[in-house]
């Protein structure tokens, strides 16, 4: 019995209370008529007569201690309550704190839209490395040794030492490297688009950046012809831009396609009348394209006698500029929320 009294004494000593509910729990356990202390008093009857007095005294001591603690705790909770009551009232007429959710970056929006358009006509999405060898970025794509695009002024070279000799590693200047990687590892039919980052050693300005995004496309199979290229890109322009947008193919040159064409669309800003964006021509270029050069197909171990194909490449920043009239390339990377918030909900 005395042990029990001591244990309860200790329990009360270490008791802490932070809420009216805890205060009530304390009362039920130690103070109330159904509590543990009353129970012990009832047990007093069976304590031998000789000890009863001493045990009774201990028990009374415990009862008083519990009562004292209860009063202190009650006071403490009362104080907490008055403090809360005297806090300034909540003004329910105040406007709520806005719940700011992020917005999709315009380049992500346009990339997703491009992917969606091509996926619906049977293209899948492929990926390739941004740090690339000279062979995949240039050599396999028929760039001659002395082609100006390999020049230090355009390409970021990455020093990498292999067997003691510096290897020609670089940051890819276009996504065309993925064409080569795909054709190397996959048998035709190949029908893929390849979005990704590219790098060029340019001074950053409103019109140029050292990092930007492209989407490459390639279709290799038996009997793929220039008409397929045209159909595919007409479809893309129709889906991507305003109804009535004009499209034209302009003969051009790329080392890895023959014949090659650049694709222009009627200026989205002035509707073809002429403005700063289209340099008063009414047309803006959106992509390069062409029939993949048989030599490039052969470079990847595919028989160009059996398979032909087309490829194209476009800049995501350029498409976004035309779609959303963004006239300074730097806006894409500055993370200014005033710019980014304009794309909310798109
Ligand atoms: N790689 C070219 C560039 O960066 C774009 C390009 C042109 C890609 C023609 C192609 C193509 O696949 O067929 O300017």
């Amino acid at each position: 019995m005395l042990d029990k009294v001591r244990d309860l004494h200790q329990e009360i000593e270490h008791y802490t209370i932070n809420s009216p509910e805890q205060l009530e729990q304390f009362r039920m356990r130690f103070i109330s008529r159904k509590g543990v202390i009353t129970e012990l008093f009832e047990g007093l009857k069976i304590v031998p007569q000789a000890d009863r007095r001493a045990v009774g005294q201990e028990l009374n001591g415990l009862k008083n201690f519990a009562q004292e603690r209860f009063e202190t705790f009650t006071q403490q909770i009362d104080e907490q309550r008055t403090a809360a009551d005297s806090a300034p009232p909540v003004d329910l007429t105040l406007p709520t704190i806005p719940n700011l959710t992020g917005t999709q970056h315009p380049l992500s929006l346009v990339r997703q839209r491009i992917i969606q358009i091509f996926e619906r006509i049977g293209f899948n999405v492929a990926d390739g490395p941004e740090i690339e060898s000279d062979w995949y970025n240039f050599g396999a794509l028929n760039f001659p040794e002395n082609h100006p695009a390999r020049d230090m002024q355009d390409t970021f070279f990455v020093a990498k030492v292999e067997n003691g000799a510096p290897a020609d590693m670089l940051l890819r200047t276009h996504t065309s490297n993925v064409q080569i990687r795909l054709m190397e590892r996959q048998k035709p039919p190949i029908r893929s688009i390849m979005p990704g980052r590219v790098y060029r050693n340019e001074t950053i300005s409103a019109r140029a950046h050292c990092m930007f995004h492209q989407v490459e496309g390639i279709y290799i199979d038996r009997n793929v012809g220039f008409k397929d290229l045209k159909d595919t890109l007409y479809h893309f322009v129709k889906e991507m831009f305003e109804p009535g947008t004009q499209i034209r193919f302009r003969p051009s040159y790329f080392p890895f396609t023959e014949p090659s064409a650049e694709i222009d669309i009627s200026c989205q800003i002035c509707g073809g009348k002429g403005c700063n964006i289209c340099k008063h021509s009414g047309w803006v270029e959106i992509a390069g394209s062409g029939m993949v050069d048989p030599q490039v197909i052969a470079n990847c171990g595919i028989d160009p006698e059996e398979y032909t194909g087309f490829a194209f490449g476009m800049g995501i920043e350029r498409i976004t500029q035309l779609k959303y009239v963004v006239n300074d390339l730097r806006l894409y990377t500055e993370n200014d929320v005033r710019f980014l918030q304009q794309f909310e909900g798109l």
Side-chain angles (χ1 to χ4, degrees), residues 173-176 179 200 214 216-217 254 256-257 288-290 311-313:
T173 58
H174 52 185
T175 41
S176 303
Q179 286 188 19
R200 290 188 196 169
Q214 288 188 336
E216 193 79 11
F254 298 102
F256 40 94
T257 45
S289 68
F312 57 87

